Amino acid sequence: MRIIYIIQSVFRMGGTEKATIDQANLIAQNTEHDVHIVSLYKNVHNSQQVSHFIADNIKVHFLHEKIELLKYSDSFYNLIDLLFKPALIRLVNSLSPEICIYTSVKLFSYEPTRKNILMAHFRFSHFISGKITKYYLKKNHDKFDKVIFLSQEDMHDYNEYYHIDNGSYIHNYCHIEPKMRSDFTNKTISYIGRIDNSQKQLNHALLIIKRLVEQGDFNGWRLNLYGRGADEGVLLSEIEGLDLNAHVFLKGAYSNLESTLAETDILILTSKFEGLPLSLIEAGLSGIPLISYDCSPGISAIIKDGYNGYLIEQDNLNGFAQRLASLMNDNECLKEFGKNSLTHMLEHFSQSVILSKWLCLFDDLYKNQKK
């Protein structure tokens, strides 16, 4: 079976892109399916271009060879997507896929001879909060054979909202090998992701650390921020303005994920909204305690409060600081939460679990296609 994934760029460091590539690798490396990726953009502006591992037996096709991604505003790329949609349709049709997996409903083109899947990488309420996305989803939701969400709650919300039953959910897959990595002597807290204050609210993380420093609870600890993004300069100014230069470090993109996680004792996330954050799953598979705002239903699938980390009420800086301080000052709890993280991930996010769910889905679609 030929399966096509359509994403913005294979060279962009974003959760949607990384999760899609990991999923494509999972299918390509463990089945005989013919897997392709259509990447709209080949070039990403400046230092924001990164390389993700793509299995040798995956063929990548580029729509735009010269237009740079992230060089202009989102409205510019929305216009480009609209103008070049006929070219995208021709490219996809030329590959004759049996299953086509979209990561953006704006790019969807209905073709009855194949099965069409939409991957919703954000919570449903956020997914329909944008006027353009909401318009296209309202217009096309009943044309998808499956709309896959990252949590059961989002699936239910979608099905009830549209009075339909084509919604389902499958957790993201991470390629990282499950094992305990940290020895919990690093005294290091990490954030891994895009440097973007509007969604990731890294200014909240800085305020939390500032509070702990002032309380005397941050002695010998550090916060490492890994990632690239448009707000790097803003964040550096905020670190300096809060007098946190000796405690918070902007590290750029990591060179080796496993090494980065081995140097991490706690992973934090202070986002305004998320889908199913890969950084939390990767850290959990590495046996690391997790603390995050409860900013999406997917978070509670990863973090079991008081078992492998803490779920914090949205934007509750005091609550976040208190829970973080309690973990930092209790090494035995750190170790216990770390072991629990690995156990929980193996039960719900292992390769065998996620692969089985995708193969069952493909199987069902293929059987229906043959009828």
Side-chain angles (χ1 to χ4, degrees):
M1 189 186 309
R2 179 166 291 178
I3 302 168
I4 307 294
Y5 293 86
I6 301 174
I7 61 176
Q8 197 172 41
S9 176
V10 293
F11 297 120
R12 182 183 183 186
M13 184 175 181
T16 296
E17 289 78 15
K18 190 175 180 183
T20 304
I21 292 169
D22 278 349
Q23 183 195 129
N25 287 336
L26 177 69
I27 302 304
Q29 292 177 313
N30 294 281
T31 74
E32 295 183 356
H33 293 309
D34 181 19
V35 179
H36 296 242
I37 295 176
V38 171
S39 175
L40 300 190
Y41 297 90
K42 186 174 184 178
N43 299 308
V44 180
H45 189 55
N46 291 336
S47 62
Q48 298 185 61
Q49 179 153 333
V50 298
S51 294
H52 299 296
F53 169 75
I54 299 176
D56 291 339
N57 56 340
I58 293 178
K59 181 70 180 297
V60 180
H61 311 264
F62 296 101
L63 181 64
H64 304 302
E65 295 279 349
K66 296 181 179 180
I67 301 174
E68 283 188 314
L69 182 63
L70 302 183
K71 186 175 183 179
Y72 308 106
S73 66
D74 287 344
S75 58
F76 171 81
Y77 296 104
N78 286 334
L79 178 60
I80 291 296
D81 289 346
L82 179 63
L83 292 175
F84 283 87
K85 191 170 181 179
L88 173 63
I89 293 171
R90 289 194 296 272
L91 173 57
V92 172
N93 288 343
S94 72
L95 299 173
S96 302
E98 291 166 274
I99 294 178
C100 197
I101 301 177
Y102 294 85
T103 56
S104 171
V105 67
K106 296 179 296 182
L107 303 175
F108 173 64
S109 175
Y110 178 66
E111 172 52 60
T113 62
R114 59 175 176 253
K115 296 301 179 179
N116 299 287
I117 298 173
L118 174 65
M119 278 295 304
H121 282 276
F122 292 105
R123 66 181 305 175
F124 176 63
S125 60
H126 177 74
F127 201 67
I128 61 170
S129 63
K131 290 182 180 179
I132 296 176
T133 303
K134 186 175 183 179
Y135 167 78
Y136 280 107
L137 190 58
K138 181 180 180 180
K139 181 180 179 181
N140 295 302
H141 66 274
D142 57 345
K143 297 181 179 69
F144 287 102
D145 297 279
K146 283 294 180 182
V147 178
I148 306 296
F149 290 90
L150 301 174
S151 73
Q152 188 174 25
E153 183 178 331
D154 282 317
M155 174 197 74
H156 287 314
D157 288 347
Y158 163 82
N159 284 338
E160 289 182 8
Y161 187 88
Y162 288 112
H163 305 290
I164 202 167
D165 63 357
N166 68 338
S168 188
Y169 79 99
I170 301 176
H171 295 323
N172 277 337
Y173 164 71
C174 290
H175 71 280
I176 190 169
E177 178 191 358
K179 62 181 287 188
M180 296 295 294
R181 286 187 165 79
S182 176
D183 62 3
F184 302 105
T185 63
N186 303 290
K187 303 191 84 170
T188 298
I189 303 161
S190 293
Y191 160 83
I192 301 174
R194 192 171 65 256
I195 305 301
D196 171 16
N197 265 340
S198 62
Q199 179 192 347
K200 304 299 185 178
Q201 298 191 142
L202 294 173
N203 54 323
H204 284 218
L206 300 185
L207 292 173
I208 290 165
I209 300 307
K210 179 66 173 179
R211 191 162 303 186
L212 295 181
V213 170
E214 292 176 343
Q215 294 171 184
D217 287 322
F218 210 67
N219 185 31
W221 282 77
R222 59 193 284 139
L223 170 63
N224 287 339
L225 303 170
Y226 292 93
R228 295 287 187 187
D231 289 335
E232 291 178 52
V234 173
L235 203 61
L236 283 171
S237 295
E238 291 180 351
I239 291 170
E240 185 171 349
L242 291 169
D243 195 24
L244 291 175
N245 297 81
H247 308 285
V248 180
F249 303 90
L250 201 57
K251 307 290 285 186
Y254 56 77
S255 57
N256 183 283
L257 177 59
E258 287 79 4
S259 297
T260 298
L261 291 169
E263 297 169 358
T264 298
D265 294 334
I266 303 170
L267 191 106
I268 65 170
L269 194 63
T270 52
S271 296
K272 184 177 183 179
F273 60 88
E274 287 285 352
L276 192 75
L278 287 176
S279 63
L280 292 181
I281 300 174
E282 290 163 344
L285 286 166
S286 300
I288 294 171
L290 313 168
I291 306 182
S292 173
Y293 283 150
D294 191 8
C295 58
S296 82
I299 302 281
S300 60
I302 303 171
I303 302 176
K304 297 304 176 186
D305 191 57
Y307 177 71
N308 66 330
Y310 293 115
L311 284 170
I312 310 299
E313 179 187 11
Q314 186 67 47
D315 298 338
N316 185 345
L317 296 174
N318 280 332
F320 205 117
Q322 290 171 8
R323 287 302 196 184
L324 182 55
S326 70
L327 261 184
M328 290 163 53
N329 292 315
D330 190 340
N331 197 254
E332 289 306 311
C333 188
L334 273 177
K335 292 177 180 178
E336 181 183 352
F337 277 21
K339 291 178 182 178
N340 293 343
S341 265
L342 182 56
T343 298
H344 181 65
M345 293 300 120
L346 287 172
E347 290 175 355
H348 299 280
F349 295 89
S350 67
Q351 174 178 302
S352 59
V353 170
I354 305 302
L355 178 61
S356 175
K357 290 183 178 181
W358 276 108
L359 293 184
C360 285
L361 174 63
F362 292 155
D363 232 22
D364 289 342
L365 293 178
Y366 185 71
K367 289 174 183 175
N368 290 336
Q369 192 175 30
K370 290 297 184 180
K371 291 180 180 180

